Amino acid sequence: MSQLHFEACDGIAVLRLDNPPVNSFGLELRTAIVAALARAEDDPALKAVVLIGSGKGFSGGADIREFGTPKSYAAPNLLMVLRAVEECAKPVIAAINGICMGGGFELALACHYRIATADAQLGLPEVKLGLLPGAGGTQRLPRVIGLERALNMIVSGTPQRAEQLRGTPLFDAIVSGDLLAGALEFARGVVRDGGITRRVRDLKIKMPNAEAYLQFARNTVKAVAAPYPAPPACVEALAAAVKEPFEAGMRRERELFLTLMASPESAALRHIFQAERAASHINGVPDSLVTRPIKRVGVVGAGTMGGGITMSFINAGLPVTLLETTREALDRGLLNIRRNYQGALRKGSLTEASLEQRLALITPTLQYESLHEADLVVEAVFENLEVKRKVFEKLDEIVKRGAILASNTSALNLDVIARFTKRPKDVIGLHFFSPANVMRLLEVVRGAETANDTLATAMALAKTIGKIAVVSGVCDGFIGNRMVARYGMAAHDLLVAGALPQQIDAALQNFGMAMGPFRMADLAGLDIGWAIRKRRAAEFPDGDFSNVADILCEAGRFGQKTGSGFYRYEAGARDAIPDPAVTAIIERFREQKGVVPRTVTDTEIVERCVYALINEGARIVDEGIAQRSSDVDLVYLNGYGFPAYRGGPMFYGDNVGLLTVARALSRIAAVPGADAAFWTPAPLLTRLAREGKTFSEFRGSSST
Ligand code: NAD
């Protein structure tokens, strides 16, 4: 099927882009546009050209499927297509509806005329990939909507509705009714008026004090954008549009674009963009698999997680039946949900009416029978296998056949939970992160018996509620908590070796982590890990589970919630203040272990903590717990504050070089007294390092 349909309509050539889903400009479509323009130009019966989209709108821009392949550079590239449009001897009119983004918008800007429907969405989102619009967007947009508006659109990457840009020279008309009919009528008018071809490049940018404005923009954008180079580069490209003739401005845009393309920040953001798309493909499950309809949801437990999970569903308009054991627990849960929304109300991001509308979607209940009609039930009760057994046995009895039964367990074995029912095929893990209504990450846990359509339905549902879903196999801690445990151990080792919490946290925060491990531990509460270690110590009397955090807990220091942990906190404040009492506890701990403290450098801190993550990530990928290394990156980026500009731990490892990572780990493992099992490079890491390959290239043994 051709990606471009050519039709002659009463003296006007209509070029309809037809490359679903978003008419992106792959090589085939680019070639077809150039050929169709030549055909229209050569036909004396045709007096003008209308470029129009189909499906979701005009065009979403570059074809992401071509990214990184020779096709994306092959002639005609986008700049050549735009030149062909601009230099066409007959007037070319862009007829815009739906989405008009990136290269699609740049193409429209190269046309001689533009008409649009009021609800068309126009934007240049390249900055979100660490780039700038590289096909004249920075030069043409300010010529039609003014410097200030263009700068805001390009630097933020946020799209605008055509209606918001009405009255600017961007549009020659905003049409209501049929777009093609409007475009044809407009084209006939242009022909009647002499068929003039006007070019945006010939317009002047009028702004008094443009230089002062640009200086202001440079200062503010740089401060907000750090460490990303793209937003300041956008300002520079716009400055060139103001100061230079068009062609010189285009050259400056290209120069800046190529610099950004080569920047590690953009590489990381493009990796994340691709990773998010890859994550929705499930090994062994065709993308076309029919999913089960989810119209009504049940949530069991209205505590911290149950409340947040309920909010995630009602925010997307899905009605929730919320079950608790007692009236008090139910009322408390509902009150917490209301309180959470009140924050948004105060900020003005939610109206009173929509708050009530959302709350009205909740049906509170104390009766399991009320869950009979649910299409999916998420269990979020205490983390105790016996409690979960009772809940799942009851759900199995009550909830209709074909419904999905999900557990939000953090650490219990999902396969054991699935066996509490007679329908393990319908059981899945939905591991939300706290606060569940805010955090975008969702680990979708695939049990040994989880059916393909159960899994596909959960992934589709995650999309509906705006989550980034990553499939994880069953193991202790799934992907994220399994990794963070290793990271915490590496940080604790450094504490014992001679560093202090504040040094370790500062080093990792300088690396870009949202929060250092000890501040994070204080926030999460030290008592949870303490309880786990006590349990493990009882189970394995020969093991050494001792941890500085245990001594802190024994002293009543559970973290932020008790006003002290690895740091102390002033009443009502969250600032972590270093505490000499903690230093004394750490020093005593070292003495007990017979450790003579040594100097630990910040470089060593980052290396050990991040390489520990990479090593565990390699095991997780090799075992097939994660389907691909980019899934591991998504989990760590979205759940644990890894800096986006580094692309995730696995991508970071690829960039450092896996040989370097493996050698560093071997060096640490060989230090006398080191936990060799912990530090020895994972088999996959060793293998890839030896072969000179990256995690990104590894497809796993189970992938399809
Ligand atoms: P919570 O103690 O805040 O809430 C549990 C709620 O379940 C309570 O309101 C309790 O009354 C209710 N409940 C207990 N037994 C019940 C039953 N039989 N029927 C109905 N309701 C019952 O706990 P939480 O932090 O919300 O954790 C819930 C689950 O989510 C656990 O499995 C936990 O491991 C998991 N989880 C927690 C977090 C987190 O950060 N808190 C993150 C991810 C997953």
Side-chain angles (χ1 to χ4, degrees), residues 378-635:
V378 186
E379 164 277 312
V381 303
F382 302 134
E383 186 76 339
N384 173 303
L385 202 58
E386 271 317 298
V387 179
K388 305 246 189 223
R389 173 201 290 277
K390 291 204 182 83
V391 171
F392 273 85
E393 283 175 354
K394 199 76 188 158
L395 290 175
D396 194 22
E397 193 185 304
I398 303 287
V399 183
K400 68 180 181 193
R401 298 290 113 186
I404 293 175
L405 307 181
S407 173
N408 183 46
T409 181
S410 315
L412 298 174
N413 187 323
L414 184 79
D415 292 330
V416 172
I417 293 176
R419 284 304 176 88
F420 294 153
T421 73
K422 289 188 265 327
R423 39 174 138 167
K425 277 174 30 251
D426 299 333
V427 177
I428 196 162
L430 289 182
H431 186 221
F432 287 84
F433 286 69
S434 182
N437 54 311
V438 176
M439 297 288 283
R440 287 188 71 207
L441 180 63
L442 179 66
E443 283 180 327
V444 175
V445 184
R446 180 182 204 170
E449 294 178 70
T450 306
N452 283 351
D453 70 331
T454 303
L455 194 56
T457 304
M459 295 300 278
L461 177 69
K463 208 171 191 176
T464 309
I465 61 173
K467 300 290 180 197
I468 295 178
V470 173
V471 176
S472 171
V474 176
C475 68
D476 189 4
F478 310 125
I479 299 172
N481 283 343
R482 183 169 153 181
M483 287 179 67
V484 80
R486 292 285 167 151
Y487 175 75
M489 284 183 218
H492 186 263
D493 266 9
L494 290 162
L495 203 66
V496 180
L500 287 176
Q502 49 272 32
Q503 187 201 351
I504 297 172
D505 282 352
L508 287 159
Q509 284 162 207
N510 287 338
F511 172 79
M513 298 298 298
M515 203 182 272
F518 296 105
R519 277 182 60 206
M520 194 162 85
D522 270 1
L523 183 65
L526 304 181
D527 47 328
I528 304 166
W530 187 34
I532 294 172
R533 282 187 294 276
K534 277 197 278 197
R535 215 168 44 231
R536 293 239 163 102
E539 281 171 35
F540 306 99
D542 294 338
D544 179 6
F545 299 97
S546 59
N547 193 297
V548 171
D550 298 349
I551 308 171
L552 296 172
C553 287
E554 280 157 20
R557 306 178 68 118
F558 290 176
Q560 264 192 37
K561 59 186 166 190
T562 57
S564 66
F566 280 103
Y567 297 92
R568 64 181 185 84
Y569 301 86
E570 300 285 352
R574 287 168 173 268
D575 304 313
I577 306 165
D579 189 346
V582 175
T583 310
I585 288 174
I586 296 168
E587 282 167 357
R588 259 203 316 282
F589 188 86
R590 288 181 193 137
E591 270 167 33
Q592 281 165 13
K593 298 274 162 197
V595 173
V596 180
R598 63 177 176 85
T599 304
V600 175
T601 66
D602 289 1
T603 310
E604 183 185 0
I605 291 170
V606 170
E607 189 177 274
R608 284 194 176 218
C609 293
V610 178
Y611 289 6
L613 279 178
I614 297 171
N615 209 23
E616 194 61 13
R619 291 192 191 98
I620 286 171
V621 173
D622 205 14
E623 289 167 23
I625 295 295
Q627 302 188 98
R628 46 188 87 81
S629 63
S630 61
D631 280 4
V632 175
D633 284 336
L634 283 186
V635 168

Side-chain angles (χ1 to χ4, degrees), residues 356-385:
E356 293 307 328
Q357 246 168 29
R358 286 187 201 184
L359 292 178
L361 287 171
I362 305 176
T363 309
T365 184
L366 299 172
Q367 310 294 331
Y368 269 88
E369 283 65 26
S370 316
L371 295 175
H372 174 72
E373 284 307 316
D375 300 305
L376 170 127
V377 179
V378 186
E379 164 277 312
V381 303
F382 302 134
E383 186 76 339
N384 173 303
L385 202 58

Side-chain angles (χ1 to χ4, degrees), residues 122-129 131 133 141 148-160 221 224-225 230-232 234-235 238:
L122 300 103
L124 292 171
E126 288 79 355
V127 74
K128 295 185 176 166
L129 296 181
L131 299 170
L141 190 60
E148 195 171 344
R149 281 178 115 169
L151 192 135
N152 285 335
M153 269 185 94
I154 292 172
V155 168
S156 71
T158 312
Q160 299 231 355
V221 168
V224 180
C234 292
V235 178
L238 283 150

